[in-house]
Amino acid sequence: MKRALIVASILLTCSVYAQETINYDESMVPTFIIPDMMVCNDGTRVTDVMTWEQKRRPEIMEYFFSQEYGRTRYEKIPVSYEDISRDRKALGGKATCRQVRFVFSNGEKKLEAIAMMMIPNKRKGKVPVFVAYNFKGNHSTVDDPAIEYSPNFGLVKKPDSPDWERGCQKSRWCFEKIIDRGYAVITMCYHDIYPDAHGQEMTDHSIVSLFPDYLERGTFSDAWGAIGAWAWGSSRIVDFLETQKWADLDKIAIMGHSRQGKAALWAGAQDERFKVVISNDSGCSGAAMAKRVFGENVARITRVFDWWFCPAYSFYSDNEAAMPFDQHELIALMAPRHVYVASAQEDRWADPKGEFLATSLASPAFELYGMEGLGTLEWPGIHQPIMHDVGYHIRAGVHDVTDYDWERYMDFCDLCFGR
Ligand code: GTR
């Protein structure tokens, strides 16, 4: 009996993995039909901004709400801000480093998150701002011992994890270069909004648990997951910026890497206060076309990271062909604002070609507004960025955020913001 069980479980495991073959062979990419984002569900063709904004765009939003990231809740969760510290001599005196605690409360339960800012000291008037989550805590972005550990960090990291080390991910944050170009940055550890690990305890410590439907949500096929929560959190950062005199509210960009690139695109789709939306190596369920099924795919991502999405998304496991939408439509939702997608050559897991393709295929939405999309289906070479109203680059190297990426983001923002 015991042996039979073992055999059965081995067979089951094999079949699960068999379905999850990861394809890295371009010749094995299936022929697929690209969903036409310019045709409404009733067959009407979109030829003007009004039909796009009032009919087609809401239909596309509905796909992402009901079938991928889940439905964002709009009840207002009261938040208060508490100043933690203000160091006017950060980065050799070039910047002010501030920490502010956000306290979210629904009257019964409270959750805390800490935002860290670098604001240029030399400034004439208001400054443009990058909103960008960090993965390993604010303390990982600089060496400064005054930076507090993120409230939820201990939930997801063991006490002996190297991630507690200060500055352990500072290579992803070229603050000095950013400050020198006149931009501010506001960052927050994404675990504070939704601790990124499997299990009920994580959801209970996420902002999702503050909403009225929390206890019933398990039964909803469109219940929002972590990506939806992170996107919601980015908007709360913008709410805070709205209280700040130094922030130029017409020049807010959001930048996210990888899973945060997925969340940045979703935040940008929902919140028009983000004027430039930047996806760094966001891959599957971010900028990459799902229907190419190259690198990470829906079956694998929904199995390993089930808490990121709404339950309905796993219907497309090994079934991308059945999706009535694809990720180029997510990118199109940024129009008439700006969007930039970046890939890394060795990051095949994220399907760089699929990221490029989706960005290019989003063009018709921008063209409706007289804006210029990428304008080509020819994948540019390494380190040959395209910067129209929509931008794209592929750089050499692996899945990461490098100075090269940030420099291009600032070039692009300079163009978009007329700097
Ligand atoms: C991987 C995941 C990707 C990407 C990445 C990251 O494990 O499969 O979708 O999000 O993590 O966030 O670095």
Side-chain angles (χ1 to χ4, degrees):
M1 178 63 189
K2 210 169 173 189
R3 187 177 299 166
L5 268 181
I6 294 171
V7 171
S9 81
I10 291 174
L11 282 176
L12 197 74
T13 320
C14 290
S15 70
V16 166
Y17 286 103
Q19 288 167 5
E20 260 176 39
T21 327
I22 301 294
N23 176 43
Y24 286 124
D25 180 350
E26 199 56 48
S27 72
M28 298 292 283
V29 168
T31 308
F32 60 90
I33 297 165
I34 300 164
D36 190 339
M37 61 184 192
M38 285 297 147
V39 177
C40 301
N41 293 344
D42 67 2
T44 318
R45 178 154 282 282
V46 180
T47 51
D48 58 84
V49 167
M50 200 161 93
T51 314
W52 170 256
E53 289 185 355
Q54 291 179 7
K55 193 165 174 178
R56 184 57 181 154
R57 193 179 186 280
E59 286 177 355
I60 296 176
M61 284 297 289
E62 184 55 25
Y63 281 132
F64 291 99
F65 279 132
S66 63
Q67 303 191 38
E68 190 162 343
Y69 308 117
R71 217 168 281 285
T72 307
R73 304 294 310 208
Y74 293 112
E75 293 89 349
K76 224 174 150 55
I77 302 292
V79 55
S80 58
Y81 309 120
E82 296 167 7
D83 272 313
I84 300 176
S85 69
R86 191 185 300 247
D87 170 13
R88 294 196 168 80
K89 295 204 169 70
L91 306 176
K94 285 182 177 179
T96 296
C97 177
R98 279 181 65 193
Q99 298 181 87
V100 173
R101 190 183 316 277
F102 289 31
V103 184
F104 297 106
S105 166
N106 64 3
E108 281 166 23
K109 182 176 177 182
K110 278 186 184 172
L111 286 175
E112 295 185 356
I114 303 178
M116 187 191 107
M117 280 147 268
M118 287 287 186
I119 308 160
N121 284 339
K122 210 164 76 189
R123 53 179 198 263
K124 287 192 229 96
K126 295 176 187 281
V127 290
V129 193
F130 283 104
V131 174
Y133 282 116
N134 60 71
F135 281 67
K136 297 194 174 182
N138 297 338
H139 70 274
S140 71
T141 67
V142 280
D143 292 322
D144 185 351
I147 302 303
E148 294 209 1
Y149 293 112
S150 304
N152 278 344
F153 211 58
L155 266 180
V156 287
K157 300 287 170 177
K158 299 216 168 71
D160 60 351
S161 165
D163 293 346
W164 291 97
E165 200 185 308
R166 296 191 176 279
C168 65
Q169 213 163 45
K170 63 182 179 191
S171 68
R172 287 188 177 176
W173 300 91
C174 53
F175 286 130
E176 206 165 330
K177 285 188 176 156
I178 300 173
I179 293 294
D180 285 345
R181 288 186 60 166
Y183 287 84
V185 183
I186 180 162
T187 185
M188 179 183 278
C189 180
Y190 78 134
H191 295 300
D192 286 355
I193 298 296
Y194 195 123
D196 190 15
H198 184 75
Q200 187 60 38
E201 196 195 351
M202 304 302 155
T203 327
D204 289 344
H205 280 85
S206 77
I207 58 87
V208 167
S209 71
L210 297 178
F211 287 84
D213 71 334
Y214 183 52
L215 294 176
E216 305 96 74
R217 69 188 278 285
T219 57
F220 305 156
S221 69
D222 61 352
W224 57 333
I227 292 180
W230 295 322
W232 178 93
S234 322
S235 290
R236 303 297 70 81
I237 294 177
V238 180
D239 296 347
F240 168 76
L241 290 175
E242 286 180 338
T243 70
Q244 300 297 299
K245 287 201 205 74
W246 52 269
D248 188 339
L249 302 178
D250 295 324
K251 300 191 174 80
I252 298 181
I254 179 167
M255 195 290 276
H257 168 61
S258 203
R259 63 199 72 183
Q260 288 313 322
K262 309 180 211 297
L265 289 171
W266 185 222
Q270 296 176 82
D271 191 336
E272 293 179 0
R273 295 174 298 174
F274 293 114
K275 304 301 182 203
V276 178
V277 177
I278 303 165
S279 146
N280 190 88
D281 305 354
S282 64
C284 179
S285 316
M289 292 296 284
K291 289 173 188 287
R292 274 175 47 81
V293 204
F294 185 102
E296 188 174 28
N297 55 40
V298 175
R300 154 81 200 208
I301 204 167
T302 54
R303 179 179 63 82
V304 179
F305 301 110
D306 57 283
W307 64 94
W308 289 1
F309 304 98
C310 68
Y313 192 40
S314 34
F315 173 74
Y316 300 111
S317 293
D318 300 311
N319 197 19
E320 284 89 347
M323 288 173 72
F325 63 103
D326 208 328
Q327 301 301 119
H328 62 308
E329 290 163 286
L330 177 66
I331 297 174
L333 294 171
M334 294 342 138
R337 291 160 296 133
H338 300 274
V339 57
Y340 193 103
V341 170
S343 308
Q345 189 182 20
E346 291 170 47
D347 187 18
R348 297 198 312 152
W349 183 245
D351 186 16
K353 190 169 182 181
E355 293 177 321
F356 168 71
L357 190 64
T359 314
S360 188
L361 291 172
S363 301
F366 295 88
E367 286 160 8
L368 277 180
Y369 294 90
M371 297 171 79
E372 201 185 347
L374 290 188
T376 176
L377 276 172
E378 206 170 302
W379 201 8
I382 308 299
H383 302 157
Q384 287 171 29
I386 304 177
M387 294 198 197
H388 300 152
D389 287 305
V390 174
Y392 175 84
H393 76 241
I394 175 162
R395 63 156 169 78
V398 297
H399 188 71
D400 199 0
V401 189
T402 67
D403 288 14
Y404 177 86
D405 298 313
W406 274 112
E407 280 159 1
R408 299 298 75 75
Y409 302 151
M410 289 188 279
D411 293 346
F412 186 66
C413 286
D414 282 354
L415 276 175
C416 300
F417 296 153
R419 285 164 57 87

